């Protein structure tokens, strides 16, 4: 199709796109017509259903559909990435090593199918940082950055890994680059977390004014960032601002009474520190 009315302008068309995974399957000499091939794949909704669950943060369901999709399309690097992210999200809170290991395996599969796909390199770096493999986390983070240095995600990953490595100045720099390069999706969905990570780095370097600005920006961007309420409360408590700290802990409790930070629940923090 084209928007152009005059023939001389009809050189820039609107084109439909077929995923590479489907094209690859055509090279396997299935001995069927394209029409038959289309009939076979048009009802395969595993990827669509997986993405709906994924975007809804229902990672258990998304993992099930992505696994089903990969049984038919094992060379789909993007879905290996999404499956890895699903395992990562399921495993990170409770540090479930089996799920985190599965996530890493998925990222490696994605990388092996497309070595220039920066996203699985970056996601693997985040998982390695969670499990304490900082050297590997750094290696994967810089690999992602070398592939695509001019986007927010790869800069964020280096900043996050630097925080885990206690290199807080480097973390502040790269988290700042991530914030500068943020697109509209990043600003709406991710940037609040980047401000939180930078706030933590600033607070650990005793750069209190900047840390507090970042905590407040985090909560302005996402009033439901529970970790931000907790970390801001800890920051205020360590600065002998008990009343303000307890206000954050109580807001956190009202939003999620079962919230835990390590061994302590927010209720135990309020009972022990605030009361």
């Amino acid at each position: 199709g084209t928007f152009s009315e005059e023939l001389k302008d009809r050189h820039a068309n609107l084109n439909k796109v077929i995923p590479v995974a489907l094209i690859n399957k055509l090279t396997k000499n299935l001995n069927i017509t394209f029409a038959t091939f289309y009939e076979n794949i048009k009802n395969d909704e595993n990827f669509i259903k997986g993405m709906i669950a994924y975007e809804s943060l229902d990672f258990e369901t998304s993992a099930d559909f992505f696994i089903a999709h990969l049984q038919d399309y094992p060379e789909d690097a993007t879905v290996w990435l999404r499956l890895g992210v699903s395992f990562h999200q399921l495993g990170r809170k409770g540090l479930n090593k089996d799920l985190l290991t599965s996530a890493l395996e998925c990222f490696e599969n994605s990388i092996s199918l497309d070595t220039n796909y920066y996203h699985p390199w970056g996601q693997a770096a985040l998982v390695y940082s969670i499990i304490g493999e900082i050297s590997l986390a750094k290696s994967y983070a810089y690999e992602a950055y070398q592939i695509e240095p001019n986007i927010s995600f790869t800069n964020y990953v280096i900043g996050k890994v630097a925080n885990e490595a206690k290199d807080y100045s480097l973390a502040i720099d790269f988290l700042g680059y991530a914030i500068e390069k943020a697109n509209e999706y990043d600003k709406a969905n991710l940037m609040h977390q980047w401000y939180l990570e930078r706030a933590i780095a600033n607070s650990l370097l005793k750069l209190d004014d900047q840390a507090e600005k970042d905590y407040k920006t985090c909560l302005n961007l996402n009033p439901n960032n529970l970790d931000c309420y907790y970390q801001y409360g800890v920051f205020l408590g360590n600065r002998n601002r008990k009343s303000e700290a307890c206000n954050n802990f109580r807001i956190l409790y009202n939003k999620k009474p079962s919230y835990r930070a390590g061994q302590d629940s927010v209720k135990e923090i309020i009972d022990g520190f605030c009361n």
Side-chain angles (χ1 to χ4, degrees):
T2 178
F3 285 125
S4 302
E5 294 182 0
E6 296 187 26
L7 184 62
K8 65 182 178 64
D9 296 324
R10 293 182 185 175
H11 56 273
N13 294 328
L14 304 175
N15 301 298
K16 293 189 178 294
V17 179
I18 299 174
V20 170
L22 305 186
I23 297 297
N24 284 342
K25 199 162 187 178
L26 284 176
T27 68
K28 297 179 181 178
N29 193 22
L30 302 177
N31 198 29
I32 58 176
T33 66
F34 187 82
T36 303
F37 174 71
Y38 174 73
E39 287 298 319
N40 288 346
I41 68 167
K42 73 175 183 180
N43 293 321
D44 178 10
E45 298 180 349
N46 288 319
F47 174 73
I48 295 171
K49 290 178 179 177
M51 284 303 300
I52 290 171
Y54 185 91
E55 295 295 339
S56 301
L57 308 183
D58 181 359
F59 295 112
E60 287 188 20
T61 301
S62 68
D64 289 340
F65 282 117
F66 290 150
I67 289 169
H69 173 85
L70 288 166
Q71 289 175 351
D72 291 326
Y73 308 108
E75 297 177 358
D76 192 333
T78 301
V79 174
W80 279 113
L81 166 71
R82 300 293 186 189
L83 178 58
V85 173
S86 298
F87 286 143
H88 174 195
Q89 294 298 322
L90 291 170
R92 70 186 182 92
K93 284 294 185 181
L95 292 180
N96 185 311
K97 290 187 176 180
D98 289 338
L99 287 171
L100 294 175
T101 298
S102 295
L104 289 170
E105 291 171 354
C106 292
F107 298 142
E108 291 294 346
N109 286 341
S110 184
I111 290 167
S112 70
L113 291 165
D114 184 355
T115 56
N116 288 319
Y117 190 14
Y118 65 84
H119 220 113
W121 288 102
Q123 289 290 341
L126 295 176
V127 174
Y128 279 123
S129 71
I130 288 174
I131 63 178
E133 296 282 354
I134 300 301
S135 178
L136 282 170
K138 289 180 178 178
S139 175
Y140 278 73
Y142 279 105
E143 190 68 40
Y145 180 79
Q146 287 174 0
I147 294 169
E148 185 48 86
N150 294 315
I151 63 167
S152 54
F153 173 71
T154 56
N155 285 272
Y156 161 70
V157 170
I158 292 181
K160 171 68 172 175
V161 171
N163 249 356
E164 297 294 332
K166 300 182 180 180
D167 188 347
Y168 302 120
S169 294
L170 184 67
I172 289 168
D173 286 344
F174 275 91
L175 291 165
Y177 300 148
I179 290 166
E180 289 173 9
K181 296 174 186 295
N183 58 32
E184 292 307 311
Y185 177 86
D186 298 331
K187 291 174 183 178
N189 298 280
L190 302 173
M191 200 160 68
H192 63 96
Q193 190 66 28
W194 304 345
Y195 274 103
L196 172 57
E197 295 288 346
R198 194 173 72 172
I200 292 170
N202 277 312
S203 67
L204 289 167
L205 289 179
K206 307 298 183 184
L207 302 173
D208 287 2
D209 288 345
Q210 187 57 54
E212 189 154 16
K213 287 179 183 177
D214 284 346
Y215 284 124
K216 289 180 177 178
T217 303
C218 171
L219 292 173
N220 284 334
L221 289 170
N222 182 3
N224 292 312
N225 188 319
L226 303 181
D227 293 334
C228 196
Y229 285 108
Y230 171 74
Q231 293 291 347
Y232 191 18
V234 171
F235 168 83
L236 292 167
N238 289 336
R239 272 68 179 176
N240 296 316
R241 294 163 63 181
K242 182 176 179 180
S243 176
E244 295 170 88
C246 291
N247 182 55
N248 275 274
F249 293 138
R250 290 190 176 102
I251 293 172
L252 175 56
Y253 178 79
N254 289 334
K255 288 181 176 289
K256 187 176 181 180
S258 62
Y259 182 91
R260 302 190 69 85
Q263 298 298 316
D264 297 324
S265 70
V266 66
K267 184 178 186 305
E268 291 168 337
I269 294 170
I270 291 170
D271 290 343
F273 178 69
C274 298
N275 295 335

